Amino acid sequence: MNTLAVTTEHQASIVLVEDDASLAEWIVNYLRGHNYRVHHIARGDQVAAYVQQHAPDLVILDVMLPYKSGFDVCRELRMFYPQPILMLTACGEEADEILGLELGANDYLSKPVRPRVLLARLKALLRREPQEPSTQGILRFGQLKILRDAKTVFYRDEVVAITAHEFDVLWLLASNAGKVIRREELVTQLRGIEYDGFDRSIDIRISRLRKKLHDNPEQPVRIKTVWAKGYLFSPEAWE
């Protein structure tokens, strides 16, 4: 059984995402003693569906989780969830803390968790006014979703693993969906140099994007090659 639920009259409802059973039990009992309602989830891949259905007031999210990392969960939640996210990070892992904040977490807490500090952080976060998720910097085409700030691509609700350079190409093409973008323009905007007629770096990135986005490289329909002109991102081909 991966979840345990505690229901009481509460100040706020909290989802705790933590795969360490003993730590999770301790946090649940501690927060229950302070009149919170807590639901525990031990797997990263189960979080988004539960949060979408139950709309808790706050999520406590561990970084290291089975099936889906806390970073991926945070990124996924921030597509629809405006309430606070508190990330739990390994002690001294500054890179984890920075990445969590960049992905949309409101605060972080290093392990081992100190009870009074945890409670103070929760109270501070719950006093904040929730922010509506921003639609700026998000492009949607059928089942394709592109998040500019997080440099993240979702297709059919799955994260597509692409590099930063590949993302930049995709964002530029998708921002001009239905319009042919010349290779010269892509090279100038993305590499900051003039096209010399020999540079094939953009072609290589587009070839890799097609493979990762399940576009037929022999007859692409999603990122099309327009002979002697450039490339065209098709907005209707993402079902």
Side-chain angles (χ1 to χ4, degrees):
M1 189 73 176
N2 286 328
T3 63
L4 59 99
V6 178
T7 305
T8 63
E9 183 178 354
H10 64 284
Q11 298 172 334
S13 59
I14 294 174
V15 169
L16 170 66
V17 188
E18 171 60 64
D19 65 326
D20 184 324
S22 60
L23 176 60
E25 183 177 10
W26 173 84
I27 292 176
V28 167
N29 289 335
Y30 180 75
L31 294 180
R32 176 181 60 181
H34 287 81
N35 207 29
Y36 289 94
R37 181 163 56 94
V38 184
H39 183 83
H40 170 229
I41 300 176
R43 296 170 43 153
D45 60 336
Q46 297 177 344
V47 180
Y50 182 88
V51 170
Q52 221 162 8
Q53 182 178 357
H54 297 278
D57 296 303
L58 184 144
V59 173
I60 302 173
L61 180 61
D62 188 27
V63 169
M64 299 298 294
L65 295 168
Y67 301 98
K68 184 176 287 188
S69 76
F71 295 133
D72 288 337
V73 174
C74 184
R75 184 187 292 115
E76 189 176 15
L77 290 180
R78 276 302 177 235
M79 295 192 318
F80 64 88
Y81 180 67
Q83 301 288 358
I85 297 175
L86 173 66
M87 296 203 76
L88 300 180
T89 66
C91 183
E93 292 294 335
E94 183 179 3
D96 286 354
E97 297 163 2
I98 293 172
L99 181 56
L101 295 174
E102 288 177 345
L103 292 175
N106 299 88
D107 201 355
Y108 64 87
L109 192 61
S110 296
K111 295 180 179 180
V113 178
R114 292 173 291 170
R116 291 184 180 180
V117 175
L118 172 62
L119 195 60
R121 296 288 181 87
L122 293 181
K123 289 180 177 179
L125 288 171
L126 290 167
R127 284 195 295 266
R128 298 181 185 179
E129 289 294 323
Q131 301 295 316
E132 290 299 321
S134 174
T135 57
Q136 296 181 350
I138 300 177
L139 297 177
R140 301 171 188 264
F141 304 92
Q143 297 191 61
L144 180 73
K145 184 182 299 182
I146 310 171
L147 283 68
R148 182 187 59 199
D149 294 341
K151 285 188 177 292
T152 304
V153 178
F154 291 87
Y155 183 57
R156 293 178 177 170
D157 296 324
E158 296 290 337
V159 176
V160 181
I162 65 174
T163 68
H165 291 312
E166 291 164 357
F167 181 90
D168 291 340
V169 174
L170 180 61
W171 181 265
L172 182 54
L173 291 172
S175 298
N176 294 275
K179 174 184 175 183
V180 176
I181 305 296
R182 294 181 301 116
R183 183 183 286 106
E184 294 88 337
E185 183 179 349
L186 286 167
V187 171
T188 300
Q189 291 203 36
L190 297 174
R191 301 202 63 205
I193 60 175
E194 292 187 5
Y195 180 60
D196 59 8
F198 298 99
D199 191 318
R200 288 292 178 265
S201 61
I202 298 298
D203 303 310
I204 293 171
R205 294 177 195 177
I206 288 176
S207 176
R208 290 173 178 167
L209 279 171
R210 284 171 173 161
K211 291 179 182 178
K212 293 177 180 181
L213 294 169
H214 309 290
D215 199 6
N216 185 343
E218 302 299 324
Q219 294 181 316
V221 296
R222 293 173 172 170
I223 302 177
K224 299 180 180 180
T225 300
V226 181
W227 183 252
K229 291 185 178 180
Y231 294 101
L232 182 145
F233 179 96
S234 176
E236 297 88 13
W238 301 96
E239 296 305 322

